Amino acid sequence: MSLDPIYYAISWILLRWHSFWDAIGIPEERVIGTNWAWILAIFCLVVTLRVILFPVFVKQIKSQRAMQALQPKVKALQEKHKGDRETLQKEMMELYRTEKANPLMGCLPMFLQIPVFFGLFHVLQHLDPNISDANKQLYGWPLDQFNSAAHAHLFNAPISAKFGSSAAELSVLGANGTTVKVVAGILVLVMMATTFLTQRQMILKTGWAEDPQQLMIQRLMLYGIPFSLLISGALFPIGVVIYWVTNNLFTLAQQQWVLRKFPPPQMANKGGSAGRVAPGTKVSGGKNPVQPARTGGLFGRKNTPEPASPVVDTKALAPKPGAKPVNPKKGARPANKPKG
């Protein structure tokens, strides 16, 4: 399947935004070693795509909540059909259909952005100033804007260069290898950190899954993806890393807004009884069957422990054998004796 339509679409959005920033007076020449019109064009590419995908993102949040609420029923089915995998799968699919929950919806926004990521990767790799004029005009690029983008920099590092660019590639771009590695390395670290925070924010707000498969996916998303970027980030052009970091920052802000607009279901009473179970409720493993979502914003907030009641030694307070009884009202003014 050809990705040319995606290349054309990404190029068209970048060119339109670059023309907009150029029209309002953003200079073409470098300011602080940066061609800001192209950096802002990449930023606005992210904004454009996230606005388009916003309804899908809201569906993702709702689906994750539905999956979380269904965990007790899923566990009950697993216990009921233990050893009968085929029946279990049928029952779970019927449960998801009845409750209108889709386990794949949680990954849909990421899957939809994968073609965009590879499309931008290809477009930026195509920004080679030494190719023929005919090739420069592929995907609808005018010659003047192609040459401008091919020489666009971020802090004196070309946006088409990579941390792992060879000396020959850097020579073609007229770039300094040390500068490229410093800028690209810092951006890759920021990309890893923002990716981790994005996943952590979602888990803190929706809660850890009880289902082992869902829990494994959550841990993979939280730790596996950021760690993989340490290696794969060296292969990304600086412009792609800018796109990824901007996308993460936009996601953090978007998630915060959506999670306030559609707050997690309250799993506990307002009186601080989070995690408590009604008497007589059967709980496997001593845990609440549905974990309450944690609160506290991006970095979470630890629950304040209740003050411990002092331990009273009742044996020490009991009277010793043979001791005289102590009048608790000793020292009080005696009542008048009746006359007579």
Side-chain angles (χ1 to χ4, degrees):
M1 178 181 176
S2 174
L3 294 179
D4 282 356
I6 295 177
Y7 302 152
Y8 276 98
I10 291 173
S11 298
W12 187 87
I13 296 173
L14 281 174
L15 292 170
R16 297 292 79 76
W17 278 114
H18 175 261
S19 298
F20 170 78
W21 294 115
D22 185 52
I24 66 173
I26 301 295
E28 277 291 319
E29 62 272 8
R30 297 186 208 171
V31 178
I32 319 177
T34 304
N35 299 96
W36 292 105
W38 286 109
I39 303 301
L40 289 172
I42 295 175
F43 174 82
C44 291
L45 171 67
V46 174
V47 175
T48 303
L49 295 172
R50 294 312 298 261
V51 169
I52 294 173
L53 293 176
F54 184 76
V56 180
F57 182 80
V58 174
K59 288 184 179 181
Q60 175 195 26
I61 297 291
K62 291 182 177 180
S63 177
Q64 287 175 334
R65 299 282 167 73
M67 292 296 298
Q68 182 185 11
L70 287 177
Q71 289 308 309
K73 294 183 179 180
V74 170
K75 276 195 167 185
L77 287 176
Q78 290 172 341
E79 291 293 329
K80 180 179 179 181
H81 302 290
K82 186 180 295 184
D84 189 353
R85 193 173 188 84
E86 184 178 352
T87 305
L88 175 62
Q89 291 295 329
K90 289 181 180 179
E91 291 287 338
M92 289 183 64
M93 292 301 295
E94 179 63 22
L95 175 66
Y96 293 150
R97 187 190 65 80
T98 304
E99 301 292 338
K100 298 180 181 179
N102 188 351
L104 299 179
M105 183 59 71
C107 301
L108 184 59
M110 183 181 67
F111 288 145
L112 291 177
Q113 291 186 71
I114 288 175
V116 178
F117 173 79
F118 284 109
L120 181 63
F121 184 92
H122 176 82
V123 168
L124 291 177
Q125 276 200 321
H126 183 67
L127 296 177
D128 183 355
N130 292 331
I131 63 177
S132 65
D133 289 350
N135 286 329
K136 288 180 181 180
Q137 296 178 77
L138 286 175
Y139 316 129
W141 284 78
L143 281 175
D144 58 339
Q145 284 187 301
F146 182 94
N147 292 327
S148 173
H151 293 92
H153 288 68
L154 174 67
F155 302 124
N156 295 317
I159 62 174
S160 56
K162 307 180 287 288
F163 183 90
S165 292
S166 63
E169 291 172 335
L170 294 174
S171 177
V172 169
L173 297 171
N176 180 276
T178 302
T179 301
V180 169
K181 281 181 168 52
V182 170
V183 173
I186 292 174
L187 283 174
V188 168
L189 292 177
V190 175
M191 177 173 64
M192 293 173 60
T194 53
T195 300
F196 174 81
L197 291 176
T198 301
Q199 300 299 328
R200 187 170 186 267
Q201 183 193 53
M202 180 61 68
I203 293 174
L204 287 177
K205 288 293 184 180
T206 58
W208 288 97
E210 288 284 339
D211 180 62
Q213 290 183 338
Q214 293 290 329
L215 181 61
M216 182 180 67
I217 292 174
Q218 283 183 325
R219 287 176 174 170
L220 178 64
M221 298 286 286
L222 181 62
Y223 300 110
I225 293 179
F227 181 76
S228 68
L229 295 176
L230 183 63
I231 300 172
S232 59
L235 306 176
F236 297 160
I238 288 176
V240 172
V241 182
I242 295 172
Y243 168 86
W244 193 305
V245 171
T246 305
N247 186 63
N248 285 342
L249 295 175
F250 194 92
T251 301
L252 287 170
Q254 193 179 59
Q255 282 181 173
Q256 192 67 21
W257 184 88
V258 171
L259 292 168
R260 287 183 179 180
K261 189 73 174 178
F262 304 98
Q266 296 296 325
M267 300 298 180
N269 296 328
K270 293 182 180 179
S273 58
R276 297 178 186 174
V277 183
T281 303
K282 185 178 180 181
V283 180
S284 60
K287 294 182 180 179
N288 194 341
V290 179
Q291 290 184 352
R294 295 177 59 185
T295 57
L298 178 58
F299 296 97
R301 181 174 59 212
K302 295 181 179 179
N303 294 329
T304 304
E306 296 182 2
S309 301
V311 179
V312 179
D313 189 353
T314 55
K315 292 183 178 180
L317 296 179
K320 297 179 179 180
K324 294 182 178 180
V326 179
N327 185 1
K329 296 184 179 179
K330 186 177 182 180
R333 187 174 180 178
N336 293 331
K337 296 180 179 181
K339 296 180 179 182

